[in-house]
Amino acid sequence: MAGIINENSSIEAVGPHIITFLVEDRPGVFAKVTGLIRRRNFNIEKITVGPTHIEKVTRMTFLIKADEATLEQVVKQLNKMVEVLRITELKPKDCVIRELALIKISTSDQQERNEAMQFSNIFRGNILDVSPTSLTVEITGDSEKIDAFLELTKRFGIIEVARTGITALSRGSDPRPRGVDMMKLLDYE
Amino acid sequence: MVMNGSKALAESLLREGVKDLFGITGGAIMNLMHQLFEFEEIRVITARHEQCAAHMAEGYAVASGEVGVCFATSGPGATNLVTGIADAFLDSRPIVAITGQVPTSLVGNDAFQEADIIGATMPMTKANFQFHRVKDIPLLTKMAFKIAKTGRPGPVLLDFPKNIQIGEEHVEFPTDIEISGYNPTLKGHPRQIKRISKVLKQAERPIMIAGGGTISAMANNEVLELAEMLGLPVINTLMGKGIIPETHPLSLGMAGMHGHMCANSVINQADLIFAVGMRWSDRITGKLEYFAQEATIVHVDIDSAEIGKNVGVHYPIVGDAKIVLRQIIEELKKLDVTQPMSWMQKVKQLKERCQCNIPLTDIQPIKPQQVMRLLREHIDSKTILTTGVGRNQMWAAHYLRVYGPRKFVTSGGLGTMGFGFPAAIGAKVAKPDHWVVDVDGDGSFLMTQQELATSVIEDIPVTVIILNDQALGMVRQWQNLFFEERYAVTDLGPKGFEKRVPDFAKLAEAFGANGILVERVSEIGPAIKEAKESDVTTVIDVQIDRSENIYPHMPSGAKLEEIIPCPPWMEAG
């Protein structure tokens, strides 16, 4: 996602905010979304994209560091895209958030391997691959949990990390989150 | 019905009420043209450059209020359209651009004359679609027109691969469509209408700024009614010019960098700014920290993303300008409204002081303001003005008066030099009974002068008045004021200016148009009269004083008060 992160942005990064939106599954939509974000110099931390249960509808979830005014512009500009069907900001307390990480840890001996496996158990991780000198662990949870695991295991030596970005859904049965619903906000009531 | 893709598109255009197309054919769009050949209802006008075809569609769209349609072949044809598309995007003009494309089997293979026009126009169209199946054509075309003309208008591009133009399939034509991700808010929220009506009633020094959105929505009657009801002085942006007749006592003219002194001064004194259909461009506000500090700001716009983007707003409302203003008028009728007499008096005095007197004495070389004054006498309600970009545009905006919406067509947002002439041709096609005048600069006109061929051959007569200073005048003015008079690369004439390069009158004649060279003040009036009566395009080349700057001038990023006022020779006269 080079080009999206603008290090010199004068906007004080606040947040992070989670925005999630449903888009039409058509060629070029993702390019258009990211193009819009690049053009207006918005900062994106994490992106997750995947299909939904509705045919030809894709969900995108962004984690954005931005002040309120910038966030409002991102949401409004995205909402203007014909391909964007609905957009909402999710407040962390009103939604469930998950991120998945694959972490390849260097383990030089039996003791290190055991220790790493113990940590993995505590974090409810899955061991996906073992070699004489490494261990690949899958950790799922919120971003802080993954950060904590990385912190804990970094003394073994981390060879590689692959993180998915976050995905989130509102709590309860209502598909519209109980957080701020941007569509309502746009009516200025 | 089973038909080929070209016929499906032609049929769709017909159903959208398209009467005129502007463009240039080529290998990847000729099948569509081949089909259109048998559609007598649709006139295809061959431009001489695709950029101009897009500007013609823009001029057509503004003048008529309908969607303008342009087309081009794939590759260079399509990329040449891009400037026009970007221009339409920034000024919210409804156009549909149709581009040919290489066959779908070759898309992505760097085929001959292939350009990724969908990728290129993504950030400057409201939407764009590539046809992948013949049967999708009617629906996508209907969507394109709906998206282009509703909500905040804008350009939509349809990319048409050659094999889809030829391919045959069963197609059906939808009559009414819904687009799930697209639903512009038209009506203002009732509670917000109530609140805003109340603030409008309570304001002591209110003003209205009307932008291009009021013209897109054709809210002219509502703007006038509300202004007269509340005694609201009406200031327009460049794009809002003509929203109420500029001779009306409440019309204060244009705001911003080269706006009228009284308009800018009133903005800074107001306690309430009622902004409708405008986007707070930096050319209007100057330095934001100093802009209208004291005022309460009400902002009406159909595009919610414009609200709060540049200027903090106290009372935002999303909706169509015409509908929202009507709602406010109805609400105000229920309240006991009085006009702020002392404020109105003050505004009236400011306006009177702002009237510049332009003498018609034989000044050599001619002052551009003199041309404007003489042209002004010929403008009536059936005159459409277009402009180039630069000082000519600002002189036209500043000194000319138009009497209604859709009578002033200019490139405001993108500032596209060369816009005026092709836009004039497009406007004339839309309104053949109007006199269309392009006030242009020598630099601007030369960028699109080849359309003289289009205008002569297609019999679309317009008047072009070139304010010829043999320079890129606006940049020259900046060099004069802010760059220690170092005139780097702004001269357009030859060294010493012994020759005219080009001689615009001769250039016009070479195309079979009428050319008039004007060097004395006394020749201006007769030349304009001749052009107005001519049934062939007339180019009037007026040699103006190149040292004459456009005033007022607010330096970029300055406060509204830091405006450099009118030139002294005018007040003296």
Side-chain angles (χ1 to χ4, degrees):
Chain A
M1 291 322 347
I4 288 177
I5 311 286
N6 175 18
E7 308 234 332
N8 300 323
S9 172
S10 59
I11 301 155
E12 196 189 336
V14 198
H17 302 276
I18 303 160
I19 56 169
T20 179
F21 49 106
L22 299 175
V23 300
E24 282 177 55
D25 181 15
R26 280 207 275 120
V29 174
F30 186 65
K32 198 166 174 182
V33 167
T34 50
L36 187 151
I37 283 156
R38 175 200 54 76
R39 183 165 90 82
R40 298 198 184 258
N41 265 344
F42 299 142
N43 270 314
I44 292 207
E45 300 271 300
K46 290 170 184 173
I47 299 180
T48 312
V49 182
T52 63
H53 65 296
I54 310 161
E55 203 188 338
K56 291 191 170 171
V57 173
T58 297
R59 178 183 293 277
M60 296 189 182
T61 307
F62 287 6
L63 189 79
I64 295 186
K65 270 196 179 167
D67 57 22
E68 291 293 332
T70 312
L71 176 76
E72 192 180 317
Q73 265 300 303
V74 180
V75 171
K76 283 173 168 178
Q77 294 293 348
L78 285 171
N79 190 47
K80 246 173 33 166
M81 271 180 60
V82 174
E83 295 86 349
V84 172
L85 303 173
R86 199 170 75 206
I87 180 160
T88 22
E89 185 193 358
L90 292 172
K91 297 286 181 195
K93 65 176 171 50
D94 295 324
C95 65
V96 288
I97 305 169
R98 282 297 174 269
E99 179 174 348
L100 184 143
L102 302 178
I103 301 151
K104 194 183 284 177
I105 303 162
S106 159
T107 48
S108 52
D109 56 27
Q110 178 82 43
Q111 196 197 335
E112 273 192 8
R113 188 154 52 239
N114 281 342
E115 220 175 318
M117 284 168 74
Q118 266 179 24
F119 287 146
S120 167
N121 279 337
I122 294 166
F123 278 77
R124 296 169 206 257
N126 287 323
I127 312 285
L128 300 182
D129 183 54
V130 184
S131 81
T133 55
S134 74
L135 195 66
T136 300
V137 183
E138 170 205 320
I139 302 283
T140 310
D142 56 24
S143 306
E144 290 74 20
K145 177 179 167 187
I146 294 166
D147 291 342
F149 185 78
L150 285 167
E151 186 60 33
L152 205 58
T153 49
K154 75 177 178 197
R155 64 185 170 92
F156 303 123
I158 291 165
I159 303 167
E160 274 188 298
V161 177
R163 291 174 76 155
T164 56
I166 61 160
T167 191
L169 279 181
S170 63
R171 290 183 185 275
S173 57
D174 189 356
R176 285 184 172 234
R178 273 171 276 160
V180 184
D181 187 324
M182 282 297 171
M183 289 306 283
K184 279 186 199 155
L185 210 148
L186 294 174
D187 291 337
Y188 283 100
E189 185 7 59
Chain B
M1 270 180 287
V2 175
M3 62 175 74
N4 67 37
S6 299
K7 189 160 186 192
L9 183 59
E11 198 55 55
S12 300
L13 294 177
L14 198 62
R15 282 163 194 257
E16 291 299 326
V18 175
K19 294 184 197 73
D20 303 277
L21 291 182
F22 305 92
I24 305 180
T25 190
I29 196 73
M30 61 184 291
N31 297 85
L32 175 63
M33 293 304 121
H34 181 72
Q35 200 67 54
L36 277 170
F37 208 62
E38 60 195 51
F39 279 71
E40 281 173 7
E41 304 89 334
I42 299 178
R43 177 183 181 191
V44 180
I45 294 165
T46 293
R48 294 301 186 271
H49 190 290
E50 290 86 353
Q51 180 193 338
C52 296
H55 293 326
M56 286 174 197
E58 289 186 86
Y60 183 96
V62 177
S64 67
E66 303 292 327
V67 177
V69 187
C70 56
F71 67 90
T73 191
S74 63
T79 54
N80 274 349
L81 280 181
V82 168
T83 301
I85 292 170
D87 191 272
F89 187 62
L90 274 180
D91 285 342
S92 309
R93 286 188 262 265
I95 67 167
V96 168
I98 302 161
T99 51
Q101 184 55 279
V102 300
T104 42
S105 57
L106 293 179
V107 167
N109 284 12
D110 304 322
F112 176 65
Q113 289 197 330
E114 184 192 354
D116 174 16
I117 199 64
I118 290 287
T121 57
M122 245 175 215
M124 55 189 77
T125 47
K126 264 186 96 175
N128 58 19
F129 306 105
Q130 189 174 58
F131 297 132
H132 290 143
R133 295 182 307 192
V134 174
K135 67 177 177 186
D136 295 339
I137 292 171
L139 178 68
L140 288 176
T141 309
K142 199 152 189 65
M143 278 171 72
F145 276 81
K146 184 171 180 179
I147 292 167
K149 69 184 169 193
T150 57
R152 177 180 182 171
V156 179
L157 182 132
L158 295 171
D159 198 26
F160 203 179
K162 196 170 164 84
N163 60 316
I164 311 294
Q165 293 175 37
I166 302 164
E168 295 202 353
E169 212 170 345
H170 174 78
V171 292
E172 275 169 31
F173 293 90
T175 47
D176 199 24
I177 52 161
E178 279 199 23
I179 308 166
S180 50
Y182 179 78
N183 198 7
T185 309
L186 300 177
K187 237 179 124 194
H189 197 284
R191 223 174 308 168
Q192 197 73 336
I193 295 277
K194 279 207 168 72
R195 277 187 211 136
I196 289 169
S197 304
K198 222 166 125 193
V199 238
L200 276 171
K201 179 183 181 294
Q202 285 164 351
E204 286 168 11
R205 302 184 306 281
I207 58 152
M208 166 153 35
I209 308 181
T214 57
I215 288 181
S216 300
M218 285 303 273
N220 45 326
N221 292 335
E222 286 73 13
V223 169
L224 190 63
E225 191 176 335
L226 191 65
E228 287 180 341
M229 188 178 197
L230 293 172
L232 267 181
V234 179
I235 291 156
N236 58 271
T237 67
L238 179 65
M239 302 313 292
K241 192 172 167 68
I243 187 61
I244 66 172
E246 292 188 87
T247 42
H248 194 282
L250 285 169
S251 171
L252 286 194
M254 183 173 75
M257 185 176 269
H258 298 293
H260 291 91
M261 290 292 280
C262 53
N264 285 327
S265 156
V266 161
I267 289 177
N268 271 353
Q269 293 176 38
D271 69 341
L272 179 91
I273 297 179
F274 183 55
V276 189
M278 52 95 78
R279 60 189 179 87
W280 312 99
S281 132
D282 53 295
R283 299 282 129 147
I284 288 287
T285 59
K287 209 169 178 64
L288 280 172
E289 296 104 90
Y290 304 116
F291 180 75
Q293 297 275 285
E294 316 278 292
T296 301
I297 294 179
V298 178
H299 188 190
V300 183
D301 206 287
I302 196 155
D303 180 359
S304 66
E306 287 304 338
I307 288 174
K309 188 176 83 178
N310 297 334
V311 166
V313 176
H314 305 94
Y315 296 92
I317 186 160
V318 178
D320 175 85
K322 191 181 178 77
I323 295 170
V324 170
L325 291 185
R326 179 53 59 197
Q327 285 176 285
I328 291 174
I329 291 168
E330 293 311 318
E331 183 64 30
L332 281 169
K333 279 183 185 163
K334 294 183 214 156
L335 307 172
D336 182 24
V337 182
T338 51
Q339 296 192 339
M341 297 314 277
S342 64
W343 171 240
M344 285 169 73
Q345 195 58 34
K346 193 169 178 191
V347 171
K348 194 169 164 240
Q349 281 165 1
L350 267 169
K351 192 183 170 182
E352 276 160 12
R353 267 198 286 155
C354 204
Q355 303 294 338
C356 290
N357 183 19
I358 304 168
L360 289 178
T361 43
D362 188 21
I363 305 172
Q364 278 275 40
I366 298 168
K367 297 282 187 188
Q369 295 91 337
Q370 296 178 308
V371 186
M372 294 299 105
R373 177 173 165 190
L374 287 161
L375 174 58
R376 193 153 74 187
E377 290 162 11
H378 290 271
I379 296 171
D380 57 29
S381 60
K382 282 189 119 180
T383 306
I384 295 173
L385 296 170
T386 71
T387 77
V389 165
R391 293 199 290 193
N392 60 81
Q393 179 184 28
M394 290 300 121
W395 277 314
H398 200 94
Y399 294 106
L400 299 178
R401 306 275 170 271
V402 293
Y403 299 94
R406 304 196 178 280
K407 304 287 187 221
F408 187 80
V409 189
T410 194
S411 172
L414 196 65
T416 312
M417 283 176 71
F419 174 83
F421 183 41
I425 293 173
K428 181 74 180 176
V429 172
K431 297 276 175 191
D433 60 337
H434 279 51
W435 181 42
V436 183
V437 187
D438 166 31
V439 176
D440 223 323
D442 52 318
S444 267
F445 180 71
L446 209 52
M447 287 193 176
T448 49
Q449 44 70 33
Q450 76 282 352
E451 300 308 322
L452 281 165
T454 311
S455 101
V456 170
I457 291 166
E458 297 279 349
D459 191 21
I460 310 165
V462 300
T463 297
V464 180
I465 299 175
I466 301 173
L467 301 174
N468 190 349
D469 57 6
Q470 302 198 51
L472 295 165
M474 183 61 95
V475 182
R476 200 184 145 84
Q477 169 161 344
W478 283 56
Q479 291 169 331
N480 178 260
L481 295 173
F482 314 119
F483 284 74
E484 295 110 32
E485 301 187 43
R486 273 165 64 128
Y487 298 114
V489 293
T490 46
D491 270 343
L492 292 180
K495 275 203 175 67
F497 299 102
E498 299 102 0
K499 280 192 292 181
R500 284 179 231 293
V501 183
D503 183 325
F504 284 106
K506 279 190 190 158
L507 179 76
E509 278 160 19
F511 279 100
N514 189 13
I516 306 171
L517 174 69
V518 170
E519 290 176 296
R520 304 300 289 250
V521 176
S522 59
E523 295 163 1
I524 302 170
I528 293 173
K529 194 159 178 288
E530 184 184 332
K532 192 174 184 179
E533 285 162 4
S534 168
D535 50 12
V536 64
T537 288
T538 303
V539 177
I540 306 172
D541 177 8
V542 189
Q543 303 288 314
I544 61 157
D545 181 359
R546 65 202 314 253
S547 64
E548 182 63 26
N549 284 345
I550 167 82
Y551 291 113
H553 189 149
M554 170 175 69
S556 198
K559 308 179 200 177
L560 279 181
E561 294 99 279
E562 289 171 14
I563 284 182
I564 307 166
C566 282
W569 66 270
M570 249 160 56
E571 280 146 4

